[in-house]
Amino acid sequence: MDPLIAALQETQVIVLAGVLILLFLWESVHPFYAHFTGSFKNRGKHALRNLTIGALNGLLVSVVFVGLWLAASVWADELRFGIMHWLQDATGLPVWAHAVGAILLLDLWTYSWHRINHEVPFFWRFHSVHHSDNKMDVTTANRFHLGEIFFSSVFRIPLIALFGVYLWELVLYEMIMFAVVQFHHANVGLSEKYDRWLRILIVTPNMHRVHHSRWQPETDSNYSSLFSFWDRIAKTFRLNPEPETIRLGLEEFDSDEDQTIKGMMKTPIKDPKANS
């Protein structure tokens, strides 16, 4: 594998593990919601379940899809196919501008894919695993059904070619994006003043808490993952002036069984309403 890609992947692991640990500690010192007050055992069980699912997803991606993404990227580069390659060849874009364009295109797709997961009942069955966490914290950023990761990874193959994205740009995007995703899922007490300034550019905890509300008009808003401006452009941006009152999770998946790894994996076939 290209040395640049290998170096970025190693950096990605270190950065994301560091962000996870720092946010976990921040939650311990200054939590926003009192999910686990006085019960480190329950918090540890919750974290272990979410991180286990995240590890399984990471294994699926690394074994099955990274090679396919690389092949799509190499094919597009060799044929100079795809939006960013066309722009580069037509205008002489420098490497950094190519990377910025790739990151914007990838994040626009992430917004679109997230919205599809809410609006198409079949995909909601898988995505509801993520929303069923009624004690959202930094580890919830890892809680996605294997089926959702499979479909999103498959769709990425042609999109990498269509966008004209290098694999190193995808790795860089994922490192930045997932660091922000961990941040906005974290159960941290961030003042509204700082949250307001940060959400001019990126998705913040108060913005994403609205998205994890069990009240559907709030659930079906704030689909952005990295840059917050996609929601403003698409008019799906929404805030709750009292985020501490938001009830997290999904009514139909509140049982202890539904919160186990086995229960989460069975969620897509248990949801009778598909998109409630």
Side-chain angles (χ1 to χ4, degrees):
M1 184 172 288
D2 187 291
L4 175 60
I5 296 173
L8 276 172
Q9 287 180 322
E10 291 177 9
T11 303
Q12 183 186 59
V13 172
I14 294 170
V15 168
L16 296 182
V19 171
L20 173 66
I21 292 169
L22 287 173
L23 289 171
F24 193 84
L25 292 174
W26 186 357
E27 292 176 335
S28 303
V29 175
H30 191 37
F32 186 81
Y33 296 111
H35 291 327
F36 304 106
T37 302
S39 182
F40 186 79
K41 179 180 178 181
N42 287 340
R43 187 182 181 200
K45 184 187 297 184
H46 173 265
L48 181 62
R49 288 170 175 171
N50 287 347
L51 293 176
T52 297
I53 288 180
L56 292 173
N57 288 332
L59 183 63
L60 171 67
V61 168
S62 62
V63 172
V64 178
F65 290 105
V66 171
L68 295 173
W69 294 344
L70 177 59
S73 174
V74 170
W75 178 86
D77 184 29
E78 289 177 346
L79 296 182
R80 301 308 293 167
F81 179 87
I83 295 171
M84 292 313 303
H85 294 328
W86 296 331
L87 283 173
Q88 187 173 48
D89 293 345
T91 65
L93 283 179
V95 173
W96 68 265
H98 191 289
V100 169
I103 287 171
L104 287 171
L105 285 172
L106 288 167
D107 201 50
L108 175 58
W109 162 247
T110 302
Y111 169 90
S112 303
W113 169 244
H114 192 178
R115 190 166 179 175
I116 289 168
N117 274 274
H118 280 253
E119 296 182 353
V120 177
F122 174 78
F123 291 121
W124 171 253
R125 288 179 175 270
F126 296 96
H127 188 59
S128 59
V129 169
H130 182 65
H131 278 267
S132 67
D133 195 344
N134 52 26
K135 294 179 174 61
M136 185 176 74
D137 67 4
V138 63
T139 68
T140 309
N142 296 271
R143 177 177 167 140
F144 291 93
H145 195 279
L146 279 166
E148 179 175 347
I149 298 302
F150 173 82
F151 287 117
S152 66
S153 298
V154 168
F155 292 147
R156 264 189 178 177
I157 299 169
L159 286 168
I160 287 171
L162 178 61
F163 293 160
V165 172
Y166 294 113
L167 186 61
W168 71 264
E169 293 172 327
L170 175 61
V171 175
L172 178 63
Y173 166 69
E174 287 204 326
M175 178 170 61
I176 299 169
M177 182 269 291
F178 198 66
V180 173
V181 167
Q182 289 183 114
F183 170 61
H184 65 237
H185 281 92
N187 181 32
V188 294
L190 181 69
S191 73
E192 171 57 22
K193 174 184 176 181
Y194 292 119
D195 195 284
R196 182 171 63 252
W197 278 105
L198 285 171
R199 68 175 175 255
I200 293 173
L201 181 62
I202 66 170
V203 181
T204 59
N206 278 351
M207 181 178 169
H208 202 66
R209 284 168 186 141
V210 174
H211 180 73
H212 275 264
S213 167
R214 61 180 62 201
W215 183 45
Q216 189 170 348
E218 290 186 325
T219 310
D220 294 337
S221 68
N222 298 352
Y223 298 109
S224 298
S225 294
L226 171 53
F227 297 118
S228 61
F229 47 70
W230 303 122
D231 281 296
R232 294 186 180 88
I233 293 171
K235 302 187 185 305
T236 52
F237 182 82
R238 186 181 188 121
L239 288 177
N240 185 318
E242 298 180 313
E244 67 278 0
T245 66
I246 295 173
R247 295 182 63 232
L248 305 172
L250 296 172
E251 298 283 356
E252 61 269 38
F253 297 114
D254 271 341
S255 71
D256 291 340
E257 172 60 27
D258 290 325
Q259 298 302 314
T260 65
I261 293 176
K262 180 180 178 181
M264 284 186 268
M265 290 300 100
K266 290 169 60 179
T267 292
I269 60 173
K270 288 181 63 177
D271 183 0
K273 291 178 279 187
N275 192 10
S276 59

